[in-house]
Amino acid sequence: MHDTVRWRAGAVEITRGVTQTRELNGEGILFVPSIFVHPGVAAYMEPAWAPTLAYPARGAAALLLGRPPGPSQALARLMGATRARLLVELASPASTSELVQALGLPLGSVGGHLSRLRAAGLVEGRRDGRSVTYHRTPTGHALVAASGGVLSGT
């Protein structure tokens, strides 16, 4: 979740300048992704509120910047339009289901293309809970940059 957050001895420990303690008494903690706490975390432990830990939401930059433009024509000719779109979309890490939603492609198609991109060394997957998050490798970044970048509206 974040470098400053640890689970230790049955408690959530946040390493930063201020120490906050609150007995949960079975109440639990609400974990909330937020675009407003980057790069740290925020803990809300006042008795009037449910204990809450806000952490940086993955992909917040993509949300603020909007959708990336489509692949360049050169990249699409080299590897096929769908694989090129996937590689460009992975400018910020995403899960298979996030890519399906963003590109409007079937799950099997996205999975197959990701498998081929991974075999070519252009993307890598990292387990994130129950899903796998894919990101470009340095080679994938270099290929997108060397192909002339991206063209808007493609």
Side-chain angles (χ1 to χ4, degrees):
M1 177 181 313
H2 195 269
D3 295 344
T4 62
V5 179
R6 304 250 188 287
W7 178 259
R8 193 175 303 216
V12 175
E13 179 180 278
I14 303 169
T15 309
R16 59 181 186 172
V18 178
T19 301
Q20 289 181 298
T21 305
R22 176 168 171 190
E23 292 291 325
L24 296 178
N25 301 319
E27 197 174 357
I29 298 176
L30 181 62
F31 291 92
V32 179
S34 173
I35 64 170
F36 301 107
V37 295
H38 183 76
V41 296
Y44 306 98
M45 299 295 160
E46 283 71 23
W49 302 96
T52 303
L53 180 67
Y55 60 93
R58 186 180 70 227
L63 176 65
L64 298 173
L65 297 175
R67 294 200 34 75
S72 71
Q73 292 172 356
L75 186 61
R77 282 193 305 267
L78 173 69
M79 62 188 342
T82 302
R83 287 192 192 123
R85 284 177 62 203
L86 279 168
L87 193 58
V88 168
E89 186 72 25
L90 288 172
S92 59
S95 69
T96 306
S97 57
E98 290 169 333
L99 292 167
V100 164
Q101 184 177 14
L103 299 174
L105 298 170
L107 179 64
S109 175
V110 171
H113 288 299
L114 284 171
S115 176
R116 286 168 183 79
L117 291 169
R118 191 174 56 242
L122 301 176
V123 302
E124 291 178 340
R126 181 176 24 142
R127 180 142 303 275
D128 186 18
R130 290 189 284 180
S131 67
V132 176
T133 301
Y134 291 91
H135 62 277
R136 282 190 216 152
T137 62
T139 304
H141 284 297
L143 182 59
V144 170
S147 71
V150 291
L151 297 174
S152 358
T154 305

